[in-house]
Amino acid sequence: MLRSLYRRLGLGHLVLALAVFSLLAAFANTFYSAYRVQREILLTNALEANRVYAAKLADSTSNFVRSAQQQLAVSASLLGARPFGRQALEDEAWRLLHQTDSFNSVLIVDARGTVLAVMPTTLNLAGKQLDSEGARAALDARQPRITQAYVSAAGNLVVNISQPILGKDGRYLGYVAGSIYLREKGILHALLGEHYYRDGSYLYVVDRAGRILYHPDSGRIGKVARDNPIVADVIAGKAGTRRIANSRNIDMLAGFAPVPVAGWGIVAQRPVAATLAEMDRLTLAVLRDTVPLVIASLLAAWYLAGLIAKPLRQLAQATGEKDTAATLRSIQGIRAWYFEARQLKQAVLEGLATLQAQIGALNEAAVTDPMTGLRNRRALSAQLRNWGAAAQPFAVIAIDVDRFKRVNDTYGHEAGDKVICHIARLMRECSRQGDFLCRAGGEEFLMLLPGCGAAEAMLIAERLRQRTAATPAPGVCAVTVSLGVASWPESHGSMERVLALADAALYAAKEQGRNRTVADASLDLPDAPRPPAPRSAG
């Protein structure tokens, strides 16, 4: 059988086999290489996004802890200044509990550990002597303290924040403490809330002992997770990223950041499968669009292989002629095979060109924000490198939607997405051709204006702010934006530093009341005036 197949094997079959192998090998190699590169980019970006998210939440949590300590310190100072009666102590405990909703309960305890006042009173601890871990720690330390998670005298899993009460003579009188209940809705739930995504992403908080203080799965709260390398890093004060399998053996991309003031750590995680889901969809689309072209190319290769073999077949037939003249006439009538070879090459090149075009579309998707069509942070980094190489002056406008969380909470995340797209559309309308528009993340945007000075950038930013305030978003009442402006090289520093200066100006606009444009302080430009408050009816 093999000998029979060998005898039937001709040049056309060999050329066809070679063409098919070359085409499929080139297709597979190019497709696989592009897939691997884009996959690594997506994973790296997801890790960095989780790290930034964890750092942002860590900063918010640090601010809350400092604020809570300040509240308790002021109360301790008042309580130590002069003696208070029982009603006054209860009033002070009531004020601490209800002033900011920072605590689930408040206690005022004397130097022997006896409860002088407690809120809420339903805890029934007034007059009792505490012997819990948190009470002993506060009495022994006699200084500001944040405890690890422990079970309180009332049976709640809590974290205690305490401040010592000192008399005018410096004598230790006791302490005032606020408790955060970990298994009930409280300040940690308000600060951290639910992760924006609904794709298996979540975050959790641990204390310095590795005990979980917050977790979307309430059954995990109070459990110790020190065997987790991420937990070990974050409670050691480290911030960073890591790919790891969680307790359910799900492959996760984690970013983590410490909260040094409390000794806590925050970890944000997203499943690898969710990160790659969009890329898998795009990959399947590329395959679906490319396979017909590959099939067409294979058919062309089969036809061209016949054309390549035809001249040699005709030559073999011609040499079988007995008459020399007839053989010469037959050879003269054979067309050269170079034309057919060029056609085959052209067919293969066209097939590969089509594949490259599809992969180019995949690359474009990797640098584009899918919701708004604006560029993403990867494209921003590439643009800055290009401008840096060309020493291109430019201005930066950092933009943030005011009170965006309120929009999501009031109208839902679908309405929030419409607001994001609405702001992107207004950015395009208020920008120039050649300006670089970027969605930096969430409700934050950047406009990079090449060849634009700081004064002109202020006018563009103010025009965008006014258009936003005057144009209601679909399905939502009017929203406003705050803007920060910086310019390179007018603002001192590197290109990357100018982005930070624009961001700092943006936060200055937030602190000054929102809905305004603020320039980087080093530019010596006047900030755009804040619009007057609307008059009330009548």
Side-chain angles (χ1 to χ4, degrees):
M1 181 177 179
L2 290 177
R3 180 175 295 180
S4 174
L5 179 62
Y6 176 77
R7 288 176 178 175
R8 292 197 302 267
L9 190 63
L11 179 62
H13 302 100
L14 294 175
V15 172
L16 179 60
L18 178 61
V20 170
F21 174 81
S22 300
L23 180 65
L24 294 180
F27 170 80
N29 180 66
T30 305
F31 189 86
Y32 178 74
S33 299
Y35 179 85
R36 287 296 302 271
V37 169
Q38 298 307 318
R39 183 177 185 273
E40 290 304 314
I41 289 171
L42 283 177
L43 294 177
T44 301
N45 288 347
L47 284 168
E48 180 62 13
N50 282 341
R51 185 197 66 78
V52 172
Y53 187 57
K56 194 171 185 178
L57 290 178
D59 186 57
S60 300
T61 304
S62 295
N63 291 337
F64 155 72
V65 171
R66 293 190 185 96
S67 175
Q69 289 179 319
Q70 181 64 27
Q71 294 177 56
L72 294 172
V74 171
S75 182
S77 176
L78 293 174
L79 294 171
R82 57 187 177 87
F84 281 82
R86 178 177 177 181
Q87 185 60 47
L89 291 173
E90 290 180 352
D91 290 345
E92 180 63 14
W94 185 94
R95 182 188 68 80
L96 282 173
L97 181 64
H98 294 91
Q99 183 176 16
T100 60
D101 292 329
S102 296
F103 309 111
N104 294 95
S105 64
V106 174
L107 294 92
I108 301 176
V109 182
D110 67 14
R112 295 173 298 175
T114 302
V115 178
L116 302 179
V118 60
M119 282 291 164
T121 57
T122 53
L123 295 176
N124 296 321
L125 295 177
K128 295 183 180 180
Q129 189 164 7
L130 300 178
D131 191 36
S132 63
E133 178 182 340
R136 292 194 304 272
L139 290 172
D140 292 343
R142 298 192 174 190
Q143 62 183 1
R145 185 173 180 82
I146 301 173
T147 68
Q148 298 179 13
Y150 71 95
V151 178
S152 69
N156 296 309
L157 183 64
V158 303
V159 168
N160 233 28
I161 303 176
S162 63
Q163 285 283 339
I165 302 174
L166 303 177
K168 291 183 178 180
D169 56 357
R171 183 168 53 92
Y172 180 71
L173 303 178
Y175 67 88
V176 56
S179 299
I180 300 172
Y181 294 175
L182 302 180
R183 290 198 174 104
E184 297 182 15
K185 292 292 184 181
I187 189 63
L188 285 182
H189 293 79
L191 278 173
L192 304 175
E194 295 185 5
H195 205 284
Y196 178 81
Y197 300 101
R198 297 296 181 271
D199 55 8
S201 301
Y202 63 93
L203 58 90
Y204 62 92
V205 182
V206 295
D207 65 10
R208 62 176 62 89
R211 191 178 301 276
I212 296 176
L213 305 181
Y214 170 83
H215 197 285
D217 179 2
S218 59
R220 299 295 308 281
I221 296 176
K223 300 292 180 65
V224 177
R226 285 192 67 93
D227 55 340
N228 186 320
I230 291 178
V231 172
D233 284 345
V234 77
I235 63 179
K238 299 178 182 178
T241 60
R242 187 188 290 266
R243 182 172 178 177
I244 191 172
N246 68 1
S247 59
R248 296 180 179 178
N249 206 32
I250 299 174
D251 196 7
M252 305 292 284
L253 301 173
F256 52 92
V259 184
V261 68
W264 299 347
I266 295 179
V267 182
Q269 298 188 142
R270 189 182 189 198
V272 171
T275 302
L276 298 179
E278 180 63 19
M279 182 175 180
D280 291 340
R281 187 188 67 80
L282 289 174
T283 301
L284 289 175
V286 170
L287 279 173
R288 186 175 60 251
D289 294 339
T290 305
V291 165
L293 294 173
V294 173
I295 293 174
S297 298
L298 291 175
L299 293 175
W302 173 78
Y303 174 71
L304 293 175
L307 293 180
I308 291 173
K310 184 178 179 179
L312 292 181
R313 185 172 64 252
Q314 291 175 337
L315 179 62
Q317 292 172 352
T319 56
E321 294 286 343
K322 301 296 183 180
D323 182 43
T324 303
T327 300
L328 289 175
R329 287 194 298 270
S330 297
I331 292 175
Q332 289 174 352
I334 297 174
R335 298 185 63 182
W337 55 268
Y338 299 100
F339 174 77
E340 289 79 6
R342 287 196 298 270
Q343 290 294 96
L344 176 60
K345 178 182 178 181
Q346 185 65 26
V348 174
L349 290 178
E350 287 179 358
L352 292 178
T354 302
L355 175 62
Q356 291 293 344
Q358 295 294 331
I359 293 175
L362 186 61
N363 290 334
E364 178 69 14
V367 297
T368 302
D369 176 57
M371 181 186 298
T372 62
L374 302 181
R375 295 302 189 183
N376 59 21
R377 280 195 172 275
R378 180 169 178 262
L380 173 64
S381 299
Q383 189 67 58
L384 288 177
R385 286 195 299 270
N386 293 337
W387 286 358
Q392 170 67 57
F394 67 99
V396 181
I397 302 175
I399 307 158
D400 188 88
V401 181
D402 295 330
R403 297 183 175 89
F404 184 70
K405 185 177 185 299
R406 182 181 299 175
V407 173
N408 279 336
D409 292 344
T410 303
Y411 300 97
H413 288 291
E414 183 176 356
D417 291 345
K418 291 181 179 179
V419 169
I420 293 295
C421 295
H422 172 68
I423 297 300
R425 179 176 61 80
L426 294 180
M427 288 171 60
R428 291 189 182 95
E429 293 176 358
C430 294
S431 63
R432 311 165 307 168
Q433 186 175 4
D435 290 345
F436 184 90
L437 309 181
C438 171
R439 183 184 179 195
E443 71 276 19
E444 299 174 1
F445 301 84
L446 288 171
M447 294 178 67
L448 273 61
L449 315 177
C452 182
E456 184 181 359
M458 283 290 290
L459 295 177
I460 294 173
E462 185 61 13
R463 181 166 67 245
L464 174 59
R465 183 193 67 77
Q466 293 174 359
R467 284 286 301 278
T468 303
T471 309
V476 181
C477 62
V479 295
T480 61
V481 292
S482 297
L483 305 96
V485 176
S487 177
W488 186 85
E490 292 177 82
S491 296
H492 302 296
S494 64
M495 283 188 169
E496 291 75 14
R497 174 63 178 162
V498 170
L499 296 181
L501 293 176
D503 199 52
L506 167 63
Y507 279 101
K510 291 281 190 183
E511 292 173 354
Q512 295 175 25
R514 299 183 176 86
N515 189 19
R516 63 181 292 126
T517 304
V518 172
D520 168 36
S522 66
L523 293 174
D524 196 25
L525 291 175
D527 296 338
R530 180 186 177 126
R535 297 180 181 177
S536 59

